[in-house]
Amino acid sequence: MMKRFAFLLACVLSAAPVAAVAQAVPAQLRPAEAGWVSRVQDSLNAITVSKSRFQQIAPDGKRTTGTAWLSRPGKMRFDYDKPSPLLLVANDGKIVYQDRDLGQVTTIPLDRTPLGLLLRPNLRFSGDVTVTGFKHDNGLVQITLVRTANPSEGSLTLILNEQPLTLRSWVVQDAQGRETQIDLFDTQTGISLVPHLFDLPKEQN
């Protein structure tokens, strides 16, 4: 069970950081592509509250589902469907991951995870974030991002529907090249969320 907990934690967040061995190489964007990047940035910054169903596809192909709530900036909750006992909550600048069967929690800084990029108060695809890939095809816009100072830690690829421009999924690639995909569906926006959704889990006695 401990292995399951550690594996799923890595799937959603990312692998542990490794020393950077290369500089981030920015994508060479044409003007139209740069325009799409700007539109995606503005679209994500416009998100305040949402609720979605999600499917997670792990590197080994295992699929799990659940419900995700978002309250920008800084708050998110991933509640996995039973029989999974797993819960992830982002709040107060950190991520807390709980296995409710084991009564175990793990806490890491939010800014060390891909979710930290999505939950920033003012998301910018520049400066400490570098766009390394762009694709626009078949009604989808795909943007790959790395942390400028540590590109070897892995990447985050955002996939959005073109019309309307909405976040559809993201893919985390860790330092070893393993990919985990989160797909969102049945998304609701402009809804009211109860504050206790984002209470951070505590270690069970």
Side-chain angles (χ1 to χ4, degrees), residues 9-84:
L9 178 62
C11 286
V12 175
L13 303 181
S14 71
V18 297
V21 296
Q23 293 183 335
V25 180
Q28 300 301 307
L29 300 175
R30 296 188 292 270
E33 294 171 336
W36 274 108
V37 170
S38 180
R39 287 180 60 191
V40 168
Q41 177 182 275
D42 292 345
S43 176
L44 294 176
N45 276 313
I47 296 174
T48 53
V49 236
S50 68
K51 176 183 178 182
S52 304
R53 293 288 295 161
F54 73 84
Q55 174 182 249
Q56 174 180 295
I57 306 173
D60 65 354
K62 182 177 180 180
R63 296 170 185 256
T64 51
T65 58
T67 302
W69 293 265
L70 170 70
S71 179
R72 293 189 70 254
K75 298 177 183 179
M76 181 175 274
R77 176 187 176 103
F78 278 80
D79 204 342
Y80 289 78
D81 291 336
K82 294 180 179 181
S84 172

